[in-house]
Amino acid sequence: CQLLPSPCRWGILFSHPRDFTPVCTTELGRAAKLAPEFSKRNVKMIALSIDSVQDHLSWCKDINAYNGEQPAEKLPFPIIADKNRELAVKLGMLDPDELDKDGMPLTARVVFVFGPDKKLKLSILYPATTGRNFDEILRVVDSLQLTAYKKVATPVDWKPGDSVMVVPTLPDEEAKKLFPKGIFTKELPSGKKYLRYTPQPE
């Protein structure tokens, strides 16, 4: 995958069923609004659709207008024109339940997140009828980047700035050295000390 040209860059590839459709327009509008936030995190975004380049350019005007901006033929990220579905087939992005007028399957709402090592770090599949939450995708990127470089995991409903969990494989003594802000453990009926928390490391 050539999404990640620089050694420290992350990448997101996300597909959508069709241009000029209601849910997809709202999704790409939100993705465009959040593009500066993804850029701050050194994440390159790229979309994919089975429509043509000309359709993409025309649809960009609608997406920008939906966002209350000038109807330009450009978004902060490119859209791959996969008109023959070649890439969608290779990547398993087709939705067998959603067909076009010719009976061909449309692309599903897939999200792939790639790390700087060009390996897949996250895969999410939404049905065509359910719009994605790009704020959640941004939160997941924050978790992936934090946990890639620190020996922590993020608990349920974690948000940037919340406490994180020390990974189970890290011995207590080493954890105390790595996390000078301290470690606290939740007491459990089993008596096992496996819920170890620490303030989010810098």
Side-chain angles (χ1 to χ4, degrees):
C1 179
Q2 299 303 312
L3 290 177
L4 309 163
S6 75
C8 60
R9 177 162 279 179
W10 291 64
I12 293 180
L13 171 64
F14 60 102
S15 60
H16 56 275
R18 275 306 309 231
D19 294 3
F20 304 108
T21 54
V23 176
C24 299
T25 300
T26 63
E27 284 189 320
L28 268 72
R30 185 60 181 153
K33 286 277 190 187
L34 286 176
E37 289 300 317
F38 283 102
S39 183
K40 275 188 216 171
R41 292 157 174 81
N42 206 18
V43 177
K44 173 83 173 170
M45 301 171 74
I46 186 165
L48 178 143
S49 172
I50 57 175
D51 296 288
S52 68
V53 171
Q54 197 53 50
D55 279 344
H56 291 346
L57 293 173
S58 181
W59 185 40
C60 285
K61 292 181 181 179
D62 288 359
I63 295 166
N64 285 312
Y66 166 78
N67 278 346
E69 297 167 6
Q70 288 297 317
E73 290 188 340
K74 189 174 182 183
L75 293 175
F77 47 82
I79 306 175
I80 297 170
D82 190 27
K83 200 170 179 185
N84 295 324
R85 295 173 170 82
E86 291 175 12
L87 192 54
V89 169
K90 279 183 184 175
L91 297 176
M93 290 176 149
L94 293 180
D95 186 338
D97 295 328
E98 294 294 326
L99 308 177
D100 66 14
K101 59 181 174 48
D102 299 319
M104 295 290 292
L106 299 174
T107 36
R109 299 185 195 286
V110 176
V111 180
F112 292 147
V113 179
F114 299 91
D117 57 1
K118 301 183 182 170
K119 291 182 180 176
L120 184 66
K121 303 301 179 184
L122 175 82
S123 171
I124 308 174
L125 172 64
Y126 294 76
T129 51
T130 301
R132 288 166 282 212
N133 184 327
F134 276 86
D135 295 277
E136 165 62 7
I137 294 168
L138 189 65
R139 185 194 76 90
V140 169
V141 166
D142 284 333
S143 174
L144 288 170
Q145 292 185 341
L146 175 65
T147 59
Y149 305 119
K150 306 290 181 180
K151 293 187 177 182
V152 296
T154 56
V156 65
D157 297 333
W158 172 87
K159 298 181 295 298
D162 290 352
S163 291
V164 295
M165 307 187 89
V166 179
V167 293
T169 54
L170 193 65
D172 284 338
E173 287 308 309
E174 192 178 339
K176 286 173 187 173
K177 293 175 189 170
L178 277 178
F179 307 115
K181 292 181 182 176
I183 297 167
F184 60 97
T185 306
K186 185 167 179 63
E187 298 300 322
L188 298 169
S190 67
K192 296 180 185 295
K193 308 286 187 183
Y194 60 89
L195 289 183
R196 298 180 296 168
Y197 294 85
T198 188
Q200 180 179 320
E202 300 298 320

